Amino acid sequence: MLALILCVGFGVMQLRRTWLQRSLLTTPVAEVASHRELVRFAVAQARPLFAHDCASCHGADMKGRISTGAPDLTDKNWLYGDGSVLQIERTILYGVRSGHKKTHDVTEMPAFGQRGQLDEAAIDNVVQYLLELNGRPHDAQAAALGTEVFNGASSCGDCHGPDARGNSDYGAPDLTINVWDYGGSPQALRDSIYYGRHGVMPAWSGKLTLGQIRALSIYVYAVSHG
């Protein structure tokens, strides 16, 4: 009798699991995050996937790596999109500068110094302007000159906006919230302007199943939204 009960219980669990896996893909993406049971199931499925495939770049704690520019996934700051499950899923599916025809690849951070577009003094002034924007110690006179460079010769505002708040449509980060994928020290900021940044994220379409990608998307959404 005990064996029969265990067998029936196991069968019910398997049916429930199958239903949840199917529901991950059939529930409208805009609604899936509001289904607590689906979120719990997705998180349980995604944790080992993240540890195996994502943690090497984003860290086991999901807080990113400055050395590679992999962003922190635990906050609500997004290079691309609005942080919805749909937008996170799109990035996981197609990556960033991955070579996939649907990847995020509209623009990248130019190497202003290497290309000779800005001299070292101008770059240093822009760094001071960025420090000023973020309420950090800075040279006010240099920051004023940096403002002119930012909105003038460098055309930084074309991507980051005249208010420096970025544009998530093509991955230009907000420069006013003191969040830096490659580090926010004066030297790191200078390096970003001088050498440029060309971060790459692989496209996981074809490497992971759609169910696995959906689970990862919900997991990242859940972590970043508490």
Side-chain angles (χ1 to χ4, degrees), residues 3-4 25 52 59 78 91 110 113 116 118 121 130 142 144 149 164 169 191 205 216:
L4 178 60
L25 293 175
H52 185 268
W78 303 96
T91 300
L118 294 177
L130 295 178
V149 176
D169 288 340
D191 288 346
S205 175
L216 280 168

Side-chain angles (χ1 to χ4, degrees), residues 17-30:
R17 179 186 177 89
T18 299
W19 178 83
L20 287 168
Q21 287 176 328
R22 185 181 299 114
S23 296
L24 273 183
L25 293 175
T26 57
T27 302
V29 181

Side-chain angles (χ1 to χ4, degrees), residues 24 32-44 218-219 222:
L24 273 183
V32 68
S34 65
H35 291 260
R36 293 185 178 183
E37 186 176 14
L38 278 180
V39 171
R40 286 195 296 269
F41 177 75
V43 168
I218 296 170
Y219 179 40

Side-chain angles (χ1 to χ4, degrees), residues 125 128-129 132 138-150:
N125 290 337
Q128 293 303 310
Y129 172 54
E132 179 185 47
H138 63 280
D139 181 316
Q141 184 175 2
L145 295 172
T147 304
E148 296 177 7
V149 176
F150 187 92

